[in-house]
Amino acid sequence: LLSKDKKYESGDILIEYTPYQARADLDKIPQHALDDTEFSVPSYPARKNESEERLRARLLYQSRKRGISENSLILSTFFAEVGPTLEREILEQFDRLLNLPDSDWDIYYWMTGKDLPPPPFDNEVMAMLQEFAQNKEMKDRTRQPDLPDS
């Protein structure tokens, strides 16, 4: 809910915003063109003391929901195939990849080798994803894997 202190809360997410400055020519701008807010997305919080089981479960879910369908297909099939065997450090690299970049297309281009990933994402999990995205075995990866029964 929006409040007078210019904060928006929804569950665990808090977004602070700043109203635009008043303009002298405000009466000349059509009402539909006015937007009095400028939002900034909060930084991704580190999840301290998250168990490895919970981390894997969260990454499995998040890998299915990363913006464009192409990313969701690559990331979810990758994680279903190799996620259960990844070491904690690689899991954390994967977590940062899923949650830090703003652009879904950047992630896609990095995974497919169209663009080089910047240093924070040029890491072991990215190398694994680039190899995986080549799909040298020609596996059918046209649908996301099923989620395990709870």
Side-chain angles (χ1 to χ4, degrees), residues 54-92:
R54 185 176 175 104
L55 174 62
R56 286 182 199 282
R58 181 171 58 79
L59 294 178
L60 175 65
Y61 178 79
Q62 287 182 329
S63 69
R64 302 170 61 85
K65 308 291 181 189
R66 189 52 172 106
I68 60 173
S69 296
E70 292 85 346
N71 284 354
S72 296
L73 283 170
I74 294 170
L75 294 167
S76 66
T77 54
F78 169 81
F79 199 77
E81 192 172 305
V82 302
T85 62
L86 294 177
E87 295 177 14
R88 180 78 186 212
E89 180 182 347
I90 307 300
L91 290 171
E92 291 171 356

Side-chain angles (χ1 to χ4, degrees), residues 27-142:
D27 58 328
K28 298 175 186 164
I29 301 172
Q31 186 63 34
H32 70 275
L34 295 176
D35 180 5
D36 69 344
T37 58
E38 186 175 297
F39 289 94
S40 61
V41 177
S43 62
Y44 181 66
R47 297 173 192 255
K48 296 180 179 175
N49 302 320
E50 183 175 34
S51 72
E52 199 163 300
E53 179 183 2
R54 185 176 175 104
L55 174 62
R56 286 182 199 282
R58 181 171 58 79
L59 294 178
L60 175 65
Y61 178 79
Q62 287 182 329
S63 69
R64 302 170 61 85
K65 308 291 181 189
R66 189 52 172 106
I68 60 173
S69 296
E70 292 85 346
N71 284 354
S72 296
L73 283 170
I74 294 170
L75 294 167
S76 66
T77 54
F78 169 81
F79 199 77
E81 192 172 305
V82 302
T85 62
L86 294 177
E87 295 177 14
R88 180 78 186 212
E89 180 182 347
I90 307 300
L91 290 171
E92 291 171 356
Q93 290 176 9
F94 191 67
D95 185 16
R96 288 189 296 274
L97 176 66
L98 291 178
N99 290 291
L100 288 178
D102 292 334
S103 171
D104 295 322
W105 285 107
D106 284 345
I107 295 171
Y108 179 74
Y109 291 144
W110 301 336
M111 290 188 302
T112 59
K114 181 171 172 47
D115 288 337
L116 294 174
F121 303 106
D122 189 10
N123 53 31
E124 193 171 349
V125 78
M126 183 56 69
M128 294 169 75
L129 280 162
Q130 289 170 337
E131 179 72 23
F132 185 83
Q134 290 179 23
N135 197 12
K136 293 176 183 174
E137 301 87 27
M138 300 297 289
K139 291 183 179 178
D140 181 11
R141 296 180 179 152
T142 56

